[in-house]
Amino acid sequence: MVSRFEHPAGGYKKMFETCEELSEPVPATVIGRIPSFLKGSLLRLGPGLFEVGDEPFYHLFDGQALIEHVQTSVTLYKRKDAYVRAITEKRVVITEFGTFAYPDPCKNIFSRFFSYFKGVEVTDNCLVNVYPIGEDYYAVTETNYLTKVNTDTLETLKKVDMCNYVNINGVTAHPHIERDGTVYNIGNCMGKGATLAYNIVRVPPTQKDKSDPIEKSKVVVQFPSYERFKPAYVHSFGMSENYFVFVETPVKINLLKFLSAWSIRGSNYMDCFESNESQGTLFHIARKEPGEYIDHKYKGAAIGMFHHINTYEDQGFIVVDLCGWKGFEFVYNYLWLANLRANWEEVKKAAMMAPQPEVRRYVIPLDIHKEEQGKNLVSLPYTTATATMHADGTIWLEPEVLFSGPRQAFEFPQINYKKYGGKNYTYAYGLGLNHFIPDRICKLNVKTKETWVWQEPDSYPSEPLFVQTPDGIDEDDGVLLTIVVSPGSQRPGYLLILNAKDMSEIARAEVDCPMPVTFHGMYKP
């Protein structure tokens, strides 16, 4: 699953350039035959505008959001406040992940001074993902704002502030969605005793009276925070049939720095992150019904973590598969645009200093007896992961490594979620990162560790989305959809359709327009 190619020509730099908004569909040239059951739309989110006037954005997560709609292909910028105001004023107007927005230079010194004390204006730059709530679709980032979008025209319809409905400071861009449409998500909040905590929020499915399900959102369970004023950065969480799993990593948001330094001297989100080198990684679990936190202390060595792959229960254990990064350093420190736009040898040099990526399996025992100190509590026959009771009652978790390659990450994972989300499964699909540059699509058998790869020279794909064949029987009966940037080709971007069984190409739909990097998305039937 390790990359076969080097990238000395630097074609990957094209992914991080501004793409113009398209008001009309761009027709695609199809090579091969698109399966007849693919009659829906592929929706992708990512950054599409990397500068405003003379002011650049600095971090990968700063670029103003772009939503791609692929059938023939349509690409539009979303009309959110941050984008509209930036274009109108020709400057960065809202602080993003790594770019600080200074006050309007046309204001006099007194009005500029007082503008610093109006509080933090949180961005609505929803560039990370899109998912359904009820009968509607929302583009999202990791703040309290969701943006309702028309998935046909890509126009933005409404901005929703989740703080109006539940005790939450922000929610992740990776919810779990049950078959009936119920949505679960997680975010930090102010808990009991003026200390930070993490709430699991439930949004019900489509309502019979056609009312907005978001208005009926509620908190179902709360996880404690290891540090009172420094919540962990949370990008996703695990959910099995009966349990939630929250992995609290040592990467922290310094809340006091966030509130004070930002307002007084001008900081961005990245300035407020720090690592607790002594914490390790904490694994919290809670029952779904009723929402109940289980106060066992599960702990492992320090990792960074963004994406869960799958979580399921088996014989009294919770199996947690995830994409980890060894150590306590924040991986986003290596995703500055200057790093990603560097020449290939410089890209590799910077990545060599970053944490090592691994696909890991942790096993959490549910039946705990304190007299079993020093004993491996994991009895599942198919894994080498261990859980050992220490004298202080902590259960120390050691993972099984499912994949590891030097500076070769298996990230942006996907599975056959509709059938195997929260269940014992076999296959995961992911985007292969070669020193942080995406250059292949991977398939991993999590039981045997067998791998398959699609890769072509100077081609840079995105997260693969699995779509099951309507009459499919096997877990991997389906196709993978990915958007590929191919700067040296006659048509520099295309939708690639792969057979999920053997990773062979079925078809591609090429368009004659540049396409930027995208993060996540969905297939809408």
Side-chain angles (χ1 to χ4, degrees), residues 128-142:
V128 181
N129 205 355
V130 58
Y131 61 84
I133 297 178
E135 297 179 348
D136 300 316
Y137 291 84
Y138 290 83
V140 298
T141 180
E142 296 181 321

Side-chain angles (χ1 to χ4, degrees), residues 21 26 31 46 48 87 117 158 191 205-206 208 219 241 255 288 324 333 353 380 382 426 464 485 503 521:
E21 178 179 3
V26 175
I31 300 171
I87 294 301
F117 293 91
K158 181 174 68 172
T206 301
K208 292 182 180 179
V219 174
E241 185 176 356
L255 188 62
K288 286 174 65 178
N333 290 332
M353 298 183 290
L380 295 177
Y382 55 79
T426 301
V485 177
M503 302 296 283

Side-chain angles (χ1 to χ4, degrees), residues 50 93-94 103 110 154 215 221 223 227 253 404:
F50 289 100
V93 295
I94 297 179
F110 296 105
L154 305 188
E215 296 178 357
V221 70
F223 294 108
E227 294 190 70
I253 304 170
S404 180

Side-chain angles (χ1 to χ4, degrees), residues 149-311:
V149 296
N150 182 317
T151 56
D152 295 320
T153 67
L154 305 188
E155 291 294 325
T156 57
L157 304 175
K158 181 174 68 172
K159 184 168 71 172
V160 177
D161 184 352
M162 289 299 294
C163 293
N164 293 334
Y165 305 103
V166 286
N167 175 22
I168 208 83
N169 296 326
V171 290
T172 78
H174 293 286
H176 283 283
I177 304 176
E178 296 191 318
R179 290 186 179 183
D180 68 351
T182 299
V183 177
Y184 290 96
N185 212 334
I186 190 172
N188 67 61
C189 65
M190 187 60 68
K192 297 178 180 179
T195 186
L196 267 294
Y198 310 89
N199 278 341
I200 295 283
V201 174
R202 179 184 182 273
V203 183
T206 301
Q207 303 294 290
K208 292 182 180 179
D209 61 2
K210 300 300 181 181
S211 60
D212 187 351
I214 292 178
E215 296 178 357
K216 296 179 172 60
S217 301
K218 68 175 184 178
V219 174
V220 294
V221 70
Q222 186 171 101
F223 294 108
S225 175
Y226 181 79
E227 294 190 70
R228 185 172 184 180
F229 295 116
K230 295 180 181 179
Y233 173 70
V234 185
H235 194 83
S236 66
F237 67 107
M239 188 177 82
S240 66
E241 185 176 356
N242 297 294
Y243 294 90
F244 300 113
V245 177
F246 165 49
V247 179
E248 188 175 12
T249 73
V251 176
K252 303 293 183 178
I253 304 170
N254 187 321
L255 188 62
L256 297 179
K257 185 185 294 184
F258 182 87
L259 295 175
S260 60
W262 191 314
S263 299
I264 298 172
R265 62 176 174 79
S267 298
N268 54 57
Y269 288 88
M270 284 295 292
D271 292 328
C272 302
F273 287 102
E274 59 187 51
S275 295
N276 184 329
E277 300 179 17
S278 62
Q279 173 196 300
T281 301
L282 307 178
F283 294 77
H284 302 276
I285 62 174
R287 292 185 183 87
K288 286 174 65 178
E289 298 291 345
E292 179 185 11
Y293 177 63
I294 299 174
D295 193 14
H296 291 318
K297 295 179 174 61
Y298 302 100
K299 187 174 181 179
I303 60 168
M305 196 276 295
F306 306 106
H307 300 118
H308 283 259
I309 301 174
N310 200 13
T311 303

Side-chain angles (χ1 to χ4, degrees), residues 2 19 84 98 125 184 193 209 219 223 250 253 304 447 457 500 510 517 524:
V2 173
C19 288
V84 173
N125 186 22
Y184 290 96
D209 61 2
V219 174
F223 294 108
I253 304 170
K447 298 186 187 304
E510 301 176 339
V517 63
K524 178 188 174 189

